[in-house]
Amino acid sequence: MFQNLAEAQATCESCHACELGQTRTKSVFAGGSPLAKIMVIGEAPGKDEDEQGEPFVGRSGQLLMKLFAEVGLERERDLYIVNTIKCRPPQNRKPTQAEKEACRPFLDAQLAFIQPQIIVLCGATAVSSLLPQEKRTITQIRGQWFDHASGAKVMAVFHPSYLLRHHSLDAGTPRSLMRLDLAEIVSALGEKC
Ligand code: URA
C-alpha cells in the first residue's frame, strides 16, 4: 500500500480515516531507530505524546525507557517504538475496534519496512492486534515467545502504566517480572543476531 516508510508517515500525519484525526494535536508515527532489531508496540499516544508527536515520552514511557536502559537497550539505537494506533483517544480511553482497523495500514507498513527480529507487545491492546487469537491475559502470557508470520519472535510484557502503580521489586511482583522479561529479550537478541 505504501512505497516506503516516509510515505506511510506523511499519510499518517494528515490522516482522517477515523474521528481521532479531529481531536489529536499531532499524530505519533514512531520513535527510536528505524534500523533497530527490536520493535516495541504500545497502545496509543497519551497527552504528552499527542503534544510532542513522539511515542512513550510521558511518565509511563520514561519508566519503560529506564527499564530498557537497565538491560542495555537504548531508545535511539536499539528500539523502534510505535503504538497500535497513532492518534490519542480523548481522555486516554481504550481504542475502539474501528480505530484499530482504520490505523492498521500504518502498523502493517512499519512491520513490513522495519522487519524487526523481535517484537515487544506492551499491554493488551498491542496483544490484540498482533496475536488476535490470544484470549489469555498479559499476566498469563507475558515472558513467553510467540512466532509472527514474518519470522520475528514476539513477546508480550506488562504495559508501563501498570508498572507505575506497582512499585515493589520483590520476586514475583510485576516490576521484577518485567526485568526478567527484558533480560530474556536481550539474551534472545544475542542468539538471533
Ligand atoms: N502509552 C502507550 O501505550 N504509548 C505511548 O506512546 C504512551 C503511553
Side-chain angles (χ1 to χ4, degrees):
M1 185 181 179
F2 300 109
Q3 297 303 308
N4 51 47
L5 217 47
E7 189 194 331
Q9 178 159 0
T11 307
C12 182
E13 280 165 8
S14 58
C15 180
H16 287 277
C18 78
E19 288 158 13
L20 300 181
Q22 289 161 30
T23 50
R24 68 162 180 251
T25 309
K26 289 184 177 175
S27 65
V28 181
F29 187 71
S33 169
L35 302 176
K37 294 178 176 142
I38 302 174
M39 182 187 267
V40 179
I41 308 180
E43 179 173 298
K47 184 172 183 294
D48 296 301
E49 292 79 16
D50 174 71
E51 285 168 7
Q52 297 178 42
E54 273 282 315
F56 283 116
V57 290
R59 263 183 86 221
S60 68
Q62 287 169 26
L63 172 61
L64 184 63
M65 295 307 132
K66 176 172 159 281
L67 295 171
F68 271 118
E70 281 174 11
V71 295
L73 297 174
E74 297 297 335
R75 180 183 178 107
E76 299 302 331
R77 184 190 61 197
D78 302 311
L79 307 173
Y80 184 71
I81 307 159
V82 304
N83 281 303
T84 307
I85 66 162
K86 313 305 189 205
C87 295
R88 182 192 184 201
Q91 281 82 48
N92 299 343
R93 64 159 169 73
K94 287 240 174 267
T96 64
Q97 192 57 33
E99 288 159 0
K100 286 196 272 184
E101 280 167 23
C103 218
R104 183 71 197 212
F106 300 122
L107 184 60
D108 285 340
Q110 291 170 321
L111 288 162
F113 290 119
I114 298 295
Q115 296 197 296
Q117 310 229 355
I118 292 177
I119 301 170
V120 182
L121 305 175
C122 290
T125 296
V127 170
S128 73
S129 288
L130 266 249
L131 303 173
Q133 307 306 325
E134 186 53 67
K135 299 296 171 233
R136 290 172 292 171
T137 63
I138 298 285
T139 305
Q140 289 168 325
I141 64 166
R142 53 135 286 278
Q144 299 173 31
W145 289 112
F146 295 83
D147 295 316
H148 187 251
S150 64
K153 292 175 75 166
V154 181
M155 185 188 285
V157 301
F158 289 122
H159 192 279
S161 61
Y162 179 71
L163 300 175
L164 279 176
R165 304 193 293 271
H166 294 83
H167 295 274
S168 171
L169 290 172
D170 292 349
T173 60
R175 282 209 193 199
S176 75
L177 296 172
M178 184 72 167
R179 283 183 154 179
L180 292 179
D181 294 346
L182 298 185
E184 167 64 21
I185 288 164
V186 171
S187 95
L189 195 63
E191 283 162 25
K192 236 184 165 301
C193 313

